[in-house]
């Protein structure tokens, strides 16, 4: 894997800007940033540089008041009436429509509920069933976030398919007439590598299989364009770049062309065509709602709904531009401040291959991250040796990136 | 089905107490009720008689302050640190331990998370796998809440078993050497009928099969005694008699003797023996945690945890005694106030067959329930003709029961 820190583009050692110059440039970049004022929408402490929004997004400031109203009024006073009067019953599809534009989906294709793992199961079993009985293999991204692999194995076992783990770049070569579906992560949770969603999707579909994407580490940080790229099914969480709160419910995208034949392995009563008929026979509802299962967890769901307000008027392309500028600038600062060879970057240099995080490795990563957090620079550790820094464009600025790199250099100077 | 309203015990018309006499008796019963003061723990409006706690439990008064702290401090200020520092990561099993005594389970067997439907899938597939390959039938309560039937059908399909729907009373006769598992509701959501958990469990186990119980309509209203009765697996929701909030996460009980062989169909990373190793191979953790799947929905989960405080110092046997006294008294008031033949009771007369709700039917049930709600008596309708009245012993009193019956009589007088 190429190291973007000190060996960019095969040139010799690049010219290294000085610390004051980088701090000045950070201030200029922040001043010119059209998203800079979005930071005020979040509850953030200026003493902390929060670079862990790729694990848990920060709290939007208006969410506590909304939640207080939900708990005290909707639950406490209206009680059962809220299922209709407060719109609880329709929350999964209503919130799905809020997420849809962020992932490039036309209305009617996204529904919110359950965890990402549960949605991977629905999507993968659903995809296998759509592909038909003569296709007996499920291709899965071998570098995937582990839960996807574990659930894919269960889906394969329960549908009588064989699991074929490959690296994402090898998916186009691995798919063929036996492939039912391929499950791939859009951005690798560990390295921050962005995979070629358009190319892989096209190759999978060309082979007659279904492309299933996990968007946990991309949605809210970069354009996904599910519809435009012909993705078949997708899942994602909402507590990272979408700031929905700890363990906020995940979402499921089923492309409109597949919805009539989508056959969920978890056909709970919420996906029934007439749920309150309470009829013993199951009849699936049409549309995105078919992805629902049981009673939705309203408190978590309505916190997510409120949190999505921070996206009003934001273009995901603008977010992507800032994300790349931030990670570029952070890498530049690290290169300037940290002695050559002290850290290795796992994050690709090419923009087309980079998500919205920077992953740096070193042998003493656990100690380095502990000291960084003590110093107010919050990233996270992925064992054994990866420092992860997530850049959430709605609330992280260039001065944050410069400060994080400066503190990282100071921490790295101690062994 | 025997009608307990006007034909009790085959006697002629019973002596009918007068309205003032019943109101006086209600006041006496409330004054003597050892649980009466628990009502103050809940946010309730004295203008309303809330008899829908079997659908959505009332809000415990202290929950809003706890949720405000969770949102503003644990999420907003500690952010990612809360997974450890605020105990988020261990919440599913910690809250499971709070529910365990309410369902008669020793520690280490209950875990919270996901919806009831998802837990039915885990429990039933898990039970089938525990039963072994030579048992090819799943017996399911044909009167079950529909989602259980739909999910059971999916579990049967995905494990290659045949689904055998029977009435709960016929389960002992239906189980045999081919039965892998039987899924039964402890209390029928529609009629309020309590099924014979000890007897059915014994018959299922005698046949070499596993007994899986759905406790949604019993836990928190009456003793369940899972361990004492030798139940194999069980699931239940927490938003009815446990007052956990709308769509609060459900729970899964796996008897200790089965845990080492419990093989979940949803082996998400939260059930891994070392989840943060993020290893590509799945290795299931020991104990109740094996029932976890993905990242838990913390906001809903911590509301539930706080809500469970209302049970501190309460005996579930005391709750059961009051529940039976309440439903007896309500039926007596209905008999006294409503003209004979106007309503039919679907709820069994025998205490051993009665849960904590009363179900009354009449042709114009939709109009009757609408008018009841207008008049401040909140029950619910189960289409086409059932009026459900849930009696939550922690916050419903005898005066509530008398008032509900009186208003019901007034409403029934209008056609």
């Amino acid at each position: 894997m190429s190291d973007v820190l000190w060996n960019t583009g095969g040139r010799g050692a690049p010219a290294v800007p000085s610390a004051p110059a980088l701090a000045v440039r950070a201030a200029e970049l922040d001043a010119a940033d059209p998203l800079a004022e979005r930071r005020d929408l979040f509850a953030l402490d200026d003493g902390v540089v929060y670079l862990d929004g790729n694990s848990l997004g920060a709290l939007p400031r208006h969410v506590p008041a909304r939640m207080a109203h939900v708990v005290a009024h909707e639950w406490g006073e209206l009680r059962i009436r809220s299922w209709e009067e407060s719109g609880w019953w329709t929350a999964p599809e209503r919130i799905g429509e809020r997420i849809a534009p962020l992932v490039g989906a036309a209305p009617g294709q996204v529904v919110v509920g359950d965890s990402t793992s549960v949605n991977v199961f629905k999507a993968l079993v659903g995809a296998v069933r759509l592909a038909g009985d003569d296709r007996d293999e499920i291709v899965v991204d071998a570098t995937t976030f582990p839960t996807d692999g574990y659930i894919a194995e269960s889906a394969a076992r329960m549908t009588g398919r064989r699991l074929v783990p490959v690296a994402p770049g090898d998916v186009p070569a691995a798919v063929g007439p036996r492939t039912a579906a391929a499950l791939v992560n859009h951005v690798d949770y560990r390295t921050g590598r962005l995979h070629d969603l358009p190319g892989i999707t096209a190759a999978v579909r060309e082979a007659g299989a279904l492309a299933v994407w996990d968007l946990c580490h991309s949605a809210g940080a970069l354009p996904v364009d599910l519809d435009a790229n012909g993705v078949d099914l997708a899942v994602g969480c909402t507590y990272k770049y979408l700031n929905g709160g700890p363990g906020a419910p995940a979402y499921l995208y089923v492309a409109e062309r597949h919805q009539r034949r989508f056959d969920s392995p978890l056909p709970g009563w919420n996906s029934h065509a007439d749920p309150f008929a309470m009829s013993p026979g199951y009849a699936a509802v049409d549309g995105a709602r078919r992805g629902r299962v049981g009673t939705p967890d309203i408190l978590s769901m309505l916190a997510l709904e409120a949190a999505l307000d921070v996206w009003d008027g934001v273009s995901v392309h603008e977010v992507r531009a800032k994300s790349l500028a931030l990670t570029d600038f952070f890498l530049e600062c690290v290169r300037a401040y940290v002695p050559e060879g002290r850290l290795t970057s796992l994050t690709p240099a090419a923009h087309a291959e980079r998500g919205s995080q920077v992953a740096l490795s070193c042998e003493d990563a656990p100690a380095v991250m502990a000291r960084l957090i003590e110093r107010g620079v919050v990233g996270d550790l992925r064992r054994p040796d990866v420092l992860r820094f997530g850049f959430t464009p709605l609330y992280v600025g260039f001065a944050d990136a410069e400060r994080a790199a400066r503190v990282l250099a100071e921490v790295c100077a101690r062994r």
Side-chain angles (χ1 to χ4, degrees), chain A:
Chain A
M1 193 167 287
S2 72
D3 186 330
V4 296
L5 281 176
W6 293 278
N7 299 309
T8 43
R11 291 170 292 141
V16 174
S18 69
L22 286 168
V24 167
R25 192 137 59 82
E28 290 166 356
L29 289 165
D30 280 328
D33 172 16
L35 292 174
E37 65 189 17
R38 293 271 154 178
R39 178 183 169 92
D40 294 339
L41 300 178
F42 293 87
L44 288 164
D45 167 2
D46 285 337
V48 171
V49 178
Y50 191 63
L51 302 181
D52 213 2
N54 54 335
S55 186
L56 177 65
L59 170 70
R61 278 187 201 281
H62 66 290
V63 168
R66 169 72 181 133
M67 286 312 289
H69 181 79
V70 167
V71 175
H73 176 67
E74 297 185 6
W75 173 14
E77 292 175 357
L78 299 183
R79 288 181 288 268
I80 196 70
R81 291 163 49 192
S82 275
W83 282 107
E84 282 195 21
E85 292 177 31
S86 303
W88 288 356
W89 182 255
T90 52
E93 49 268 24
R94 183 176 71 242
I95 303 170
E97 299 299 18
R98 298 284 301 276
I99 291 171
L102 298 172
V103 293
Q109 301 176 105
V110 179
V111 70
V112 170
D114 305 305
S115 67
T116 304
S117 299
V118 170
N119 280 293
V120 168
F121 188 73
K122 292 180 213 170
L124 215 43
V125 173
V128 164
R129 290 174 174 173
L130 285 162
D133 289 341
D134 53 333
R135 291 177 172 267
D136 65 352
E137 291 181 354
I138 297 174
V139 171
V140 64
D141 169 3
T143 61
T144 198
F145 186 75
T147 211
D148 294 31
Y150 310 155
I151 295 288
E153 194 168 346
S154 177
R157 170 184 176 190
M158 296 195 78
T159 56
R161 265 65 177 180
R162 193 171 75 90
L163 198 65
V164 182
V166 301
D170 298 333
V171 168
V175 292
R178 295 182 61 176
T179 311
L183 169 66
V184 192
N185 268 262
H186 196 190
V187 172
D188 185 293
Y189 78 99
R190 195 167 163 276
T191 62
R193 178 177 290 270
L194 172 65
H195 298 300
D196 176 16
L197 184 143
I200 294 173
T201 300
V204 172
R205 293 188 65 196
E206 179 70 23
L210 285 93
V212 183
W213 285 90
D214 180 332
L215 310 176
C216 284
H217 287 270
S218 62
L222 50 90
V224 180
D225 294 332
L226 291 175
D227 287 348
N229 288 306
V231 168
D232 296 296
L233 296 104
V235 304
C237 80
T238 61
Y239 46 76
K240 299 180 190 291
Y241 297 104
L242 298 181
N243 315 300
Y251 56 90
L252 173 70
Y253 163 90
V254 179
E256 198 278 337
R257 66 185 177 281
H258 292 308
Q259 289 179 350
R260 285 176 58 89
R261 289 181 54 236
F262 176 67
D263 181 7
S264 172
L266 295 169
W269 72 293
N270 274 228
S271 67
H272 195 284
D274 185 4
F276 291 98
M278 308 268 170
S279 52
Y282 180 72
V285 71
D286 288 335
R289 255 177 63 200
R290 194 175 291 188
R292 287 177 63 167
V293 184
T295 303
D297 50 339
I298 291 299
L299 301 187
S300 293
M301 202 164 272
L302 299 189
L304 164 63
E305 182 174 35
L308 290 170
D309 289 352
V310 300
W311 294 96
D312 290 350
V314 173
S315 145
V316 76
H317 295 278
E318 198 170 39
V319 166
R320 173 62 169 164
K322 180 174 173 186
S323 161
L324 287 170
L326 275 170
T327 52
D328 273 345
F329 184 66
F330 176 68
L331 286 165
E332 181 180 351
C333 294
V334 171
R335 196 158 51 229
Y337 297 162
V338 179
E340 185 167 345
R342 178 71 175 88
L343 300 165
T344 304
S345 174
L346 307 178
T347 299
H351 283 181
E353 296 174 9
R354 193 192 304 163
S356 197
Q357 77 178 51
V358 171
L360 304 174
S361 81
C362 59
E363 272 181 19
D364 57 340
V368 169
M369 185 50 72
R371 290 199 297 266
L372 276 173
I373 292 171
E374 274 169 24
R375 299 277 309 272
V377 174
V378 180
D380 66 21
L381 177 77
R382 283 296 171 255
R383 290 175 6 201
D385 61 355
V386 178
L387 307 166
R388 289 200 315 176
F389 302 97
F391 290 84
T392 306
L394 293 192
Y395 56 74
V396 173
F398 294 89
D400 293 323
E402 192 274 339
R403 179 177 153 201
R406 192 157 26 83
V407 175
L408 175 63
E410 290 164 16
V411 160
C412 281
R414 294 172 50 191
R415 280 274 190 179

